[in-house]
Each structure stands twice: as structure tokens, then as C-alpha cells.
């Protein structure tokens, strides 16, 4: 036999062996699948489904259903399902606050059974029923994670944005550098900035750019807002170190129009339009559009050393003169819903533009009169989701990329102070800080994939992957020969997560998960830098009874530096490409208790304690000349904290709540560069971070005319921040502090025609207190706003 024949025979033999192996592999997989299916099926042949309604034929969400050792909650449509029931005869119990308890002995047959339950209100006067089952935020709050869910709908008739709502959550502190459109830094239990990750419907917002910020997104875009403090669930898929914010939008496929306009102090205008149309065939169109504008010309207090007009002899107040901001954004989605191949298959486009005058640098001493920035967002997106793609398998895929541009413009050869132009005779090549018209693209892209496999009604296996890419490139027509702009600024990051959850509904649950992070960075002509980390954690929950829940969670978590920390933001943050990945051991304990004094008075208590031990902690500091921020590592930071919230409801017309947070962040870096001995700030409290703060919220709802559908709501909110150190406590004899702050807000809303028309009036910081944040940056004083809202919904 020649060589060719031998080779042909050998290839044929290999192909036959491969076919046999493939056949064996298919048969083995089929056998395992049949064994697994039989094992799951053999556990029980009894199941029960049903719907819970009230005596007005309305479905009730969050009703507790108990039978045969199982406890479940009804979903948003009042439906429940219980599988693997071992007996055919038992007593079923249904309970919801504000309703009589339902009890009945029933018998079911082998296979699938159906039972509808009718609950009667304890008090037939609708206005005196305070709660009807559990709301979506209440259901979220019962998760094993340390999470607080905000019902955004209660703010729809106000002018607040998402960051204002977050500022009322225990453990959360929103810090801004000024008025509308200013840079924002949100902190959760001491972790702030990029330690916190932001999501919309579970999709990271890392690549939204300057056009989308928490303090410019209207509250009407959200249905509820989930705040995870510490351990973040695996399905959010990120490298958050201290928590996450997930904005849950309205995806109930309704046909509606929700439009509002507000006008107020400092020439502030805000407009919001949300609408959706879905036909019977599942074709859907969704549009969210909003606009913000403000001159931000509020008064600020300046020290005498900045008061040129009084010859530097007196403190004074001046008006901000170069702080205009406006942005306009549209989010449009078009696609199919509720089809056999997809629950949602939506193509989208996000378009937006923003403009911002830059009034100050990192401190009040740096004043500008012409420097400004502008940017836009052009983001195509694709989203696909399907529950039960095959039995028990839920999948989600999202992809988007930001093709927009950013530009910073500094062309005026002048110097300014708080009273305007001071030096006009500078060389034409000068700018206020650095003469530039640098225009650049960040090319931020994200691909997110998530799969949940539900094994029965108790076990869920999850795998999640998030890939981020960043590529900054740009040019400057005023400095075309600057080689710095030609250097590559590249970053790619991947987060792979996997988890397992076992859930005994209404009794206990446990989550176990792991994450693998990898990142590749390149700056200029330097070689690429690769980093990888592995983290893991668990979250546990146990119900002592229906209304008393204990929680505990632990995580070894890691975070890679963001492109903006590595390469700067081309405005007020310097680059630092030497940043190391940070890690933290996070531990949380919590308790949630709800109880009734009587049928009219309901209480809720939530409390938690936390411990964080962070290595290579990335934090914000001032650069060497005190003009910009800069991200840097600290060898270690330790955090101890606690938060508490008390809620009270009387019937349906009175609600009150108060929440308080204490957090102590301690510097654990023993040696500093340039010091041979122990650092003088070793074990110091971390500066410029509030450690004690809280709020009080009171709302009264009154029907104007009985049975007319008109409503009048008045509200009051108090915000308190204890004074805290601006710089290291051990540095210098004078302890510079940011003083104690106390602000009072009032609002009144009149709704008529069953909520179709709404008029709201707001007064913020009514006592005109001086409110400060990052490095004493001052926020607006007393302000008034009028809000008009129209809402119509066709079921």
C-alpha cells in the first residue's frame, strides 16, 4: 500500500472513531438529561397554581401563600405557583396586610391543579386601607442582599432627579460640586465614586459619558431604584467594590403618555416626556425624552482673602456668573415583546447633547469665566431576553457602544476671580488653565450576557459575563503637534461571574458566587499592563416569621481602575496610570422587621452593621498644585458603620420615616513615600468624608372631595450632616472642618381627574442654609419650583 492509501485509510479510521465518540457523547448527555429530569420529576407529581384577587376583582401583588411546608409570594399580576407538593390534602393560607386571612382545606389531584383566591378588605373604606400586599420595592427589600428599593412613582409629581431620591436612602450620601449638571460623587457606606456601579435594567452605565448623570436623569424614567450596599448580586455583573445602583424602568408594555414641565429658581427649566405604544401583535415603541437647563447663578459665600472689592478685608457673598448648564436626551426603543422566541427583542438608539460652563476648579479659589465643555452621545443598542428559552433557562443579552464625542474649550487669554476679569494682558497663546480645544472620542462599548437555569422552584444557577472596551482618541486644532494626543489610551476589562442560589420561599435563602476579573491597559508607547483577580462571596437570609428577617453577607471583592481614573477626564481630574487594582473584605449584617399596632398603624424597622477592610484603596485627592483631583491608592482603609431606618404609616393618609447613618473610615497605611518613620496620619479618620448624617421625611395625603378622585399631598423633608474634617485630622494645629448642615424642604401637590393632571410646588433649603460638599464646594441656597404633569394610561 502506498503512502497516499495509508494516509487515506488512517484519516477514514480517525473519522469513524470521531463519529463513534460523538455518538457516545450525545447518548451519554441524553442519558444524563433523562436521569436528571426523572430525578426532578420523581420528587413529586403534585403542583398548584392560582391568582389572588380582592373583593373589587383587582389582583394583589406580594400576598403570602403557605401550604404543605411551602411559602411563596404572588407576583406583580397576583399569580403564584407551587411545585413538588408531597401530599394531596392540606390547608392553604393566604395573608396580606389590610385583608382578612384566607384559610381553606383542599385536596388536589396528581398533576397540575389551579385555585383562585379571593381576599376581602378588613375595612371597606378604600381610603383607610394603608397597604395591599407587598409592593415591588418591598419584595426587593426581602432579598438576602443588603438592599433598599425606592418606589420612584411617589416622586413623579416633583422636580427631583434620581440623585435626590438616592440621598434619602440610609447609608447613601450624594455629593455634588454645585447646582444642576455639576459633577456628582455618590457614596454608599463610605465607598464613593467609581467604587459604586450604576445600571439601567441590569445593564452597566459605565459608557454613558457626561450626558447621562444621576443628577440629570429625571425620576420619571424609573419605576423603582434598587440600592445594593456592599455585596452586589451576580446578575448585575460588575467589579463594584462598595455597592450598586440599579434603575428599573417601566417595562409593563402599557400604552401611556407621561409628560411634565417645571420652572424654578436660577432660571431652571426641566421637561420630561415618557411614552410607550404596544399593539396586540407585540410590536412596541418606547420613547423617553428629557431636557434640563439652568443658569446656576445662585450666591456663594467667599472668604475675605478672595474679596478683591473690599480690599480683602471682609467675607462676602457673590453670584456665580459662569455656570450655565443644559442637556437634551432621547432614548428610543423599537421591537417585539411577548413572542414565542423572545420576551423582549428591542433595538434602541440613545441620542443626547450637553453643554457646561466651568465655574471653578477643584476648590472655590480657582475661578473661571470662559472655559467650558460640551459633549454628545450616539449609542445604538440591542437587547434580547427570554424566560424559559428551554424549560428553566432564562437568558438576557445586551450590547451597546457610545460613538459620541466630548470637547473641552479653553481659548480666552484672561484670568478671573469672583468679580470677573482681572488680567486681560496675557499672551494670546494662554488660556485660563491650558489653552485647548481638545475634541475626543472614548469609544466605550459594553456587551452583557446573563443566563439563569432554574432547577425546580428552589435552585437557580447563574452565569454572567460583562465585557468593557475603551479607546480614547482625539485632536486639538490649537495644538496639532502635541504628541500626547496621538498616544493610545486603551482599556479592556472582562468580568465573568457564576453563582448558585437555593431559596425556600418565605423561610430562608442562600447565595454563593464567584467572579473572575481581567483587565488590559495601554497608555501611549508603553507596553500593555495586564491584571487579573478572583473574588467570591455569599449572602444569607432567614425569616424568623413572615415579618421578621435576618440577613448576613460576605464578599472578597475586587475592582479595576476605570479609564477615567487611569487617563483622566480632560477637565478636573489628572491621569494616574500607575493605579493598582483594589480589593476589600466586606461583611454585612442586617435585620428587617414589620409589625402592626392595630389595623390602622403600621411600622417598619430596618437596621444594619458593616465592616470593610480594603487594600490598595483608590480614593480622590487634590493634585500637587491643588487645582485638580487625582485618583491614588492607599495601602489600606478600614470601615466600620451602621445604618437605621424607621417607617410609620397611619391608614392611607399619613406616612413618616427617618434614617440615620454612622460610618468611620480609618487610614491603615502605616508608611508614606518620603517618610522613614510611621506616617503621622496612620489610623487617622479619612478626610472629606461625612461620618454622621440622616434625614426625616413626612407626607400627608388628603382627598379633597370624597369620591371625586382629587388628591392633595403635602410633604416635608429634613437633611442633616454632622461637621467633618476637610483635611487629615493629625496634620496641623488647626482642624479645618466642613460645618454642620441642616436643610428643610417642603412640597405640595394637587392631583385631579384621577391623577391625569398634577400641579406641584416645591421649596428647597427654605432657611437658605450654606450647604457644602467636596472640598467645601457650595451648593444652591433657597429655591422654589413649579411642576406641571400630565399622565394618561390606556390599559
Amino acid at each position: 500500500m502506498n503512502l497516499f492509501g495509508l494516509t487515506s485509510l488512517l484519516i477514514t479510521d480517525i473519522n469513524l472513531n470521531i463519529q463513534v465518540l460523538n455518538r457516545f457523547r450525545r447518548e451519554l448527555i441524553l442519558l444524563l438529561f433523562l436521569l436528571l429530569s426523572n430525578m426532578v420529576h420523581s420528587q413529586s407529581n403534585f403542583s398548584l397554581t392560582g391568582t389572588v384577587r380582592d373583593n373589587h376583582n383587582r389582583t394583589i401583588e406580594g400576598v403570602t401563600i403557605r401550604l404543605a411546608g411551602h411559602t411563596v409570594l404572588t407576583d406583580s399580576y397576583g399569580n403564584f405557583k407551587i411545585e413538588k407538593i408531597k401530599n394531596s390534602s392540606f390547608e392553604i393560607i393566604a395573608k396580606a396586610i389590610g385583608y382578612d386571612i384566607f384559610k381553606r382545606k383542599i385536596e388536589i389531584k396528581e398533576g397540575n391543579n389551579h385555585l383562585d383566591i379571593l381576599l376581602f378588605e378588613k375595612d371597606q373604606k378604600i381610603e383607610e386601607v394603608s397597604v395591599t400586599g407587598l409592593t415591588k420595592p418591598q419584595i426587593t427589600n426581602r432579598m438576602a442582599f443588603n438592599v433598599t428599593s425606592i418606589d420612584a412613582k411617589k416622586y413623579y409629581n416633583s422636580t427631583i432627579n434620581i440623585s435626590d431620591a438616592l440621598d434619602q436612602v440610609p447609608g447613601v450620601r450624594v455629593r455634588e460640586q454645585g447646582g444642576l449638571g455639576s459633577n456628582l460623587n455618590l457614596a454608599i457606606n463610605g465607598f464613593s465614586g467609581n467604587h459604586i456601579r450604576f445600571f439601567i435594567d441590569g445593564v452597566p452605565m459605565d459608557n454613558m459619558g457626561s450626558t447621562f448623570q444621576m443628577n440629570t436623569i429625571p425620576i420619571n424614567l424609573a419605576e423603582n431604584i434598587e440600592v445594593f450596599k456592599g455585596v452586589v448580586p451576580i446578575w448585575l455583573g460588575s467589579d463594584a467594590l462598595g455597592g450598586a445602583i440599579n434603575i428599573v424602568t417601566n417595562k409593563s408594555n402599557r400604552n401611556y403618555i407621561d409628560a411634565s414641565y417645571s420652572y424654578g429658581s436660577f432660571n431652571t427649566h426641566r421637561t420630561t416626556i415618557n411614552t410607550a405604544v404596544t399593539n396586540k401583535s407585540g410590536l412596541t415603541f418606547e420613547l423617553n425624552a428629557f431636557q434640563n437647563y439652568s443658569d446656576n447663578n445662585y450666591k456663594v459665600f467667599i472668604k475675605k482673602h478672595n474679596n478683591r472689592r473690599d480690599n480683602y478685608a471682609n467675607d462676602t457673598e457673590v453670584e456665580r456668573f459662569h455656570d450655565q448648564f443644559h442637556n437634551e436626551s432621547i432614548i428610543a426603543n423599537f421591537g417585539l415583546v411577548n413572542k414565542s422566541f423572545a420576551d423582549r427583542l428591542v433595538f434602541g438608539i440613545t441620542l443626547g447633547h450637553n453643554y457646561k460652563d466651568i465655574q471653578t476648579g477643584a476648590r472655590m479659589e480657582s475661578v473661571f469665566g470662559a472655559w467650558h465643555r460640551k459633549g454628545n452621545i450616539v449609542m445604538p443598542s440591542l437587547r434580547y431576553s427570554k424566560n424559559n428559552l428551554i424549560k428553566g433557562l432564562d437568558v438576557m443579552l445586551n450590547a451597546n457602544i457610545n460613538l459620541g464625542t466630548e470637547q473641552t474649550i479653553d481659548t480666552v487669554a484672561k484670568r478671573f476671580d469672583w468679580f470677573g476679569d482681572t488680567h486681560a494682558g496675557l499672551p494670546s497663546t494662554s488660556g485660563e488653565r491650558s489653552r485647548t480645544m481638545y475634541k475626543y472620542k472614548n469609544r466605550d462599548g459594553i456587551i452583557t450576557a446573563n443566563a439563569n437555569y432554574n432547577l425546580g422552584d428552589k435552585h437557580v444557577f447563574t452565569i454572567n459575563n460583562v465585557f468593557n472596551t475603551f479607546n480614547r482618541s482625539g485632536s486639538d486644532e490649537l495644538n496639532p503637534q502635541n504628541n500626547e494626543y496621538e498616544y493610545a489610551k486603551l482599556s479592556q476589562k472582562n468580568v465573568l461571574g457564576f453563582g448558585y442560589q437555593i431559596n425556600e420561599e418565605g423561610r430562608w435563602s442562600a447565595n454563593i458566587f464567584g467572579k473572575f476579573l481581567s483587565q488590559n491597559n495601554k497608555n501611549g508607547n508603553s507596553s500593555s499592563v495586564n491584571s487579573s483577580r478572583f473574588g467570591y462571596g455569599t449572602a444569607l437570609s432567614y425569616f424568623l416569621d413572615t415579618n421578621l428577617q435576618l440577613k448576613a453577607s460576605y464578599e472578597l471583592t475586587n475592582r479595576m481602575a476605570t479609564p477615567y481614573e487611569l487617563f483622566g477626564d480632560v477637565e478636573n481630574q489628572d491621569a494616574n496610570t500607575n493605579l493598582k487594582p483594589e480589593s476589600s473584605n466586606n461583611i454585612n449584617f442586617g435585620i428587617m422587621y414589620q409589625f402592626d399596632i392595630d389595623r390602622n398603624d403600621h411600622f417598619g424597622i430596618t437596621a444594619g452593621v458593616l465592616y470593610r477592610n480594603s487594600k490598595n484603596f483608590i480614593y480622590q485627592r487634590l493634585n500637587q498644585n491643588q487645582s485638580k483631583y487625582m485618583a491614588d491608592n492607599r495601602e489600606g482603609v478600614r470601615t466600620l458603620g451602621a445604618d437605621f431606618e424607621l417607617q410609620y404609616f397611619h391608614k392611607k393618609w399619613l406616612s413618616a420615616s427617618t434614617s440615620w447613618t454612622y460610618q468611620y473610615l480609618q487610614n491603615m497605611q502605616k508608611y508614606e513615600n518620603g517618610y522613614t518613620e510611621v506616617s503621622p496620619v496612620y489610623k487617622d479618620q479619612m478626610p472629606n468624608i461625612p461620618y454622621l448624617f440622616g434625614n426625616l421625611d413626612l407626607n400627608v395625603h388628603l382627598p379633597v372631595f370624597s369620591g371625586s378622585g382629587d388628591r392633595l399631598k403635602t410633604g416635608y423633608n429634613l437633611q442633616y450632616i454632622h461637621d467633618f474634617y476637610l483635611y487629615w485630622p493629625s496634620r496641623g494645629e488647626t482642624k479645618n472642618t466642613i460645618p454642620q448642615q441642616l436643610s428643610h424642604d417642603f412640597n405640595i401637590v394637587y392631583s385631579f381627574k384621577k391623577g391625569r393632571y398634577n400641579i406641584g410646588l416645591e421649596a428647597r433649603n427654605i432657611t437658605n442654609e450654606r450647604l457644602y460638599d467636596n472640598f467645601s464646594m457650595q451648593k444652591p441656597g433657597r429655591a422654589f419650583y413649579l411642576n406641571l404633569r400630565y399622565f394618561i394610561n390606556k390599559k
Side-chain angles (χ1 to χ4, degrees):
M1 183 179 292
N2 59 25
L3 181 61
F4 177 78
L6 181 63
T7 303
S8 299
L9 182 61
L10 182 61
I11 292 173
T12 302
D13 186 58
I14 290 173
N15 287 334
L16 286 173
N17 287 330
I18 290 174
Q19 291 175 14
V20 171
L21 287 172
N22 284 336
R23 182 184 302 173
F24 175 76
R25 184 179 61 183
R26 289 195 299 268
E27 291 176 351
L28 180 61
I29 291 173
L30 179 60
L31 177 61
L32 290 174
F33 178 79
L34 291 174
L35 286 173
L36 182 61
S37 299
N38 183 64
M39 185 171 59
V40 173
H41 178 72
S42 65
Q43 293 179 7
S44 176
N45 291 324
F46 298 93
S47 66
L48 179 67
T49 61
T51 304
V52 180
R53 290 183 169 85
D54 64 11
N55 47 293
H56 299 286
N57 201 34
R58 298 172 302 197
T59 59
I60 312 175
E61 178 184 8
V63 178
T64 302
I65 309 291
R66 290 181 178 175
L67 72 160
H70 296 266
T71 303
V72 299
L73 297 173
T74 57
D75 62 18
S76 57
Y77 301 99
N79 299 323
F80 67 91
K81 182 178 182 180
I82 302 173
E83 297 177 318
K84 300 178 185 176
I85 303 171
K86 297 180 180 180
N87 301 313
S88 61
S89 178
F90 49 80
E91 182 180 60
I92 183 169
I93 301 174
K95 297 174 64 177
I97 299 174
Y99 292 92
D100 292 326
I101 297 175
F102 174 92
K103 289 184 180 181
R104 179 182 297 175
K105 290 184 177 181
I106 64 172
E107 290 188 5
I108 61 175
K109 299 178 182 180
E110 186 173 354
N112 297 323
N113 296 264
H114 187 85
L115 174 68
D116 288 332
I117 296 174
L118 180 64
L119 295 185
F120 289 89
E121 296 173 355
K122 289 181 178 179
D123 191 334
Q124 295 301 316
K125 294 182 179 179
I126 269 273
E127 65 271 17
E128 294 184 1
V129 178
S130 60
V131 184
T132 57
L134 296 177
T135 63
K136 287 183 179 179
Q138 288 173 325
I139 293 174
T140 300
N141 292 339
R142 293 166 69 92
M143 296 172 63
F145 299 91
N146 186 9
V147 57
T148 298
S149 183
I150 308 167
D151 185 0
K153 295 187 291 294
K154 67 181 182 181
Y155 299 111
Y156 279 5
N157 292 317
S158 70
T159 63
I160 73 171
N161 49 52
I162 287 179
S163 68
D164 296 323
L166 290 170
D167 215 15
Q168 300 180 29
V169 175
V172 176
R173 183 75 197 122
V174 178
R175 310 181 68 194
E176 298 175 275
Q177 293 184 17
L180 182 63
S182 64
N183 291 337
L184 174 144
N185 189 3
L186 183 141
I188 298 178
N189 292 138
F191 284 121
S192 61
N194 293 309
H195 295 120
I196 313 302
R197 290 287 189 251
F198 298 92
F199 302 80
I200 294 182
D201 293 325
V203 178
M205 294 178 61
D206 299 6
N207 60 342
M208 288 288 192
S210 61
T211 302
F212 278 80
Q213 301 294 327
M214 289 294 110
N215 56 354
T216 60
I217 300 177
I219 194 71
N220 299 57
L221 185 68
E223 184 175 29
N224 57 287
I225 307 168
E226 299 169 344
V227 182
F228 292 90
K229 294 175 274 188
V231 180
V232 176
I234 197 69
W235 52 267
L236 281 180
S238 77
D239 59 341
L241 196 76
I245 308 295
N246 184 35
I247 301 170
V248 181
T249 62
N250 188 341
K251 291 293 184 291
S252 57
N253 305 325
R254 297 180 302 170
N255 299 294
Y256 74 100
I257 297 175
D258 187 353
S260 65
Y261 168 76
S262 69
Y263 172 75
S265 299
F266 321 122
N267 195 26
T268 300
H269 305 259
R270 311 186 76 163
T271 308
T272 304
I273 299 175
N274 298 315
T275 186
V277 178
T278 304
N279 65 19
K280 294 180 180 180
S281 64
L283 195 64
T284 186
F285 175 74
E286 302 163 351
L287 178 69
N288 308 104
F290 58 91
Q291 162 271 330
N292 300 280
Y293 176 90
S294 182
D295 289 334
N296 286 317
N297 57 342
Y298 58 92
K299 290 186 176 181
V300 293
F301 172 80
I302 62 172
K303 297 283 189 178
K304 59 184 179 181
H305 64 263
N306 288 322
N307 186 357
R308 170 169 55 92
R309 287 191 174 176
D310 279 1
N311 199 28
Y312 310 104
N314 302 299
D315 298 337
T316 189
E317 284 189 334
V318 295
E319 190 175 277
R320 293 172 76 97
F321 61 92
H322 181 66
D323 201 16
Q324 184 188 106
F325 169 81
H326 67 85
N327 76 322
E328 303 82 31
S329 301
I330 293 175
I331 306 171
N333 293 303
F334 179 79
L336 297 167
V337 296
N338 299 329
K339 309 300 288 186
S340 60
F341 55 87
D343 294 335
R344 288 181 63 83
L345 177 58
V346 174
F347 299 91
I349 185 72
T350 299
L351 304 172
H353 176 268
N354 75 89
Y355 173 94
K356 178 76 173 72
D357 286 335
I358 301 173
Q359 179 70 89
T360 68
R363 299 188 302 156
M364 293 285 290
E365 280 73 15
S366 301
V367 185
F368 305 102
W371 184 24
H372 62 278
R373 64 167 168 81
K374 59 183 179 180
N376 61 62
I377 180 174
V378 179
M379 179 183 289
S381 64
L382 166 67
R383 187 176 181 93
Y384 170 81
S385 63
K386 174 61 180 173
N387 291 339
N388 281 314
L389 182 64
I390 60 175
K391 186 176 180 180
L393 181 63
D394 305 334
V395 297
M396 184 277 290
L397 175 68
N398 180 84
N400 61 57
I401 185 168
N402 187 350
L403 304 175
T405 61
E406 305 278 346
Q407 186 175 24
T408 180
I409 301 173
D410 181 4
T411 58
V412 175
K414 293 182 180 181
R415 293 292 180 267
F416 293 83
D417 65 8
W418 283 109
F419 302 96
D421 176 15
T422 59
H423 296 89
L426 298 176
S428 60
T429 55
S430 298
E432 291 187 79
R433 173 177 279 174
S434 176
R435 181 175 170 83
T436 182
M437 290 185 67
Y438 183 47
K439 187 174 184 178
Y440 58 98
K441 298 178 179 180
N442 286 324
R443 288 293 184 269
D444 277 345
I446 296 178
I447 300 176
T448 303
N450 190 85
N452 293 326
Y453 180 67
N454 302 273
L455 184 60
D457 60 349
K458 295 182 181 179
H459 308 276
V460 181
F461 298 88
T462 300
I463 185 168
N464 180 282
N465 194 82
V466 178
F467 175 75
N468 295 69
T469 180
F470 176 94
N471 182 1
R472 178 180 291 169
S473 61
S475 61
D476 188 347
E477 63 182 87
L478 298 182
N479 301 284
Q481 306 304 316
N482 192 335
N483 293 330
E484 174 67 24
Y485 301 138
E486 303 301 321
Y487 292 157
K489 292 178 174 59
L490 307 174
S491 180
Q492 291 185 338
K493 180 178 66 177
N494 196 81
V495 181
L496 174 63
F498 46 90
Y500 165 70
Q501 174 184 303
I502 179 170
N503 183 30
E504 190 69 51
E505 188 65 53
R507 301 176 72 181
W508 62 273
S509 66
N511 295 263
I512 302 172
F513 57 87
K515 292 181 182 179
F516 180 75
L517 289 71
S518 59
Q519 186 179 43
N520 176 272
N521 301 318
K522 183 176 177 59
N523 181 39
N525 296 323
S526 61
S527 59
S528 298
V529 178
N530 298 297
S531 302
S532 61
R533 293 289 189 276
F534 179 74
Y536 51 87
T538 184
L540 309 171
S541 168
Y542 183 75
F543 286 88
L544 294 176
D545 64 34
T546 305
N547 297 316
L548 179 58
Q549 181 186 20
L550 303 179
K551 298 182 180 184
S553 56
Y554 164 76
E555 182 181 22
L556 170 61
T557 184
N558 303 279
R559 185 178 79 86
M560 304 297 189
T562 69
Y564 296 93
E565 291 169 328
L566 292 166
F567 308 126
D569 68 353
V570 199
E571 184 182 319
N572 261 333
Q573 177 158 328
D574 269 341
N576 184 358
T577 56
N578 296 317
L579 286 172
K580 303 174 184 176
E582 55 185 335
S583 64
S584 180
N585 285 282
N586 298 342
I587 301 174
N588 291 278
F589 295 99
I591 183 172
M592 186 174 68
Y593 180 44
Q594 296 175 325
F595 60 97
D596 300 337
I597 298 297
D598 52 39
R599 72 193 318 179
N600 295 323
D601 299 288
H602 312 284
F603 287 87
I605 296 175
T606 304
V609 295
L610 63 96
Y611 171 81
R612 310 272 190 268
N613 189 3
S614 307
K615 304 297 183 184
N616 292 318
F617 183 84
I618 299 177
Y619 74 110
Q620 290 278 80
R621 66 172 176 83
L622 292 172
N623 65 0
Q624 190 171 2
N625 61 13
Q626 304 273 296
S627 62
K628 290 185 179 182
Y629 300 112
M630 184 177 184
D632 203 355
N633 290 109
R634 292 216 67 79
E635 184 179 291
V637 172
R638 185 167 61 193
T639 304
L640 292 171
D643 55 55
F644 171 82
E645 181 178 30
L646 172 65
Q647 296 177 308
Y648 168 69
F649 303 91
H650 178 71
K651 297 184 179 180
K652 201 177 181 177
W653 63 268
L654 175 64
S655 64
S657 66
T658 184
S659 65
W660 294 88
T661 299
Y662 173 81
Q663 56 192 24
Y664 184 80
L665 278 74
Q666 189 176 33
N667 172 39
M668 300 305 294
Q669 181 166 316
K670 195 169 184 178
Y671 298 99
E672 304 271 355
N673 292 332
Y675 285 88
T676 57
E677 298 181 354
V678 175
S679 168
V681 297
Y682 176 54
K683 292 191 175 181
D684 251 15
Q685 182 175 344
M686 292 289 289
N688 196 38
I689 298 176
Y691 67 91
L692 177 62
F693 51 91
N695 71 74
L696 171 67
D697 191 65
L698 179 67
N699 289 282
V700 177
H701 303 256
L702 297 172
V704 180
F705 304 106
S706 178
S708 69
D710 295 359
R711 292 289 184 270
L712 182 69
K713 170 186 168 290
T714 61
Y716 164 73
N717 181 261
L718 175 147
Q719 290 273 351
Y720 170 82
I721 305 173
H722 197 64
D723 62 314
F724 57 97
Y725 290 116
L726 179 58
Y727 302 108
W728 292 106
S730 299
R731 286 272 174 92
E733 297 180 359
T734 303
K735 301 292 191 296
N736 292 313
T737 61
I738 295 179
Q740 173 184 299
Q741 300 169 65
L742 189 66
S743 65
H744 309 266
D745 301 337
F746 294 90
N747 65 78
I748 182 169
V749 177
Y750 177 53
S751 301
F752 53 102
K753 297 295 183 182
K754 296 182 179 180
R756 177 174 292 189
Y757 304 99
N758 306 270
I759 302 173
L761 294 171
E762 296 179 49
R764 298 193 188 181
N765 191 10
I766 193 69
T767 56
N768 202 32
E769 293 291 317
R770 291 175 187 161
L771 304 179
Y772 304 85
D773 262 334
N774 299 320
F775 293 97
S776 286
M777 298 300 295
Q778 296 176 36
K779 299 194 294 186
R782 185 187 297 117
F784 300 94
Y785 299 94
L786 167 68
N787 186 63
L788 306 174
R789 176 174 174 246
Y790 171 79
F791 177 81
I792 184 171
N793 175 37
K794 182 179 180 181
K795 296 291 185 179

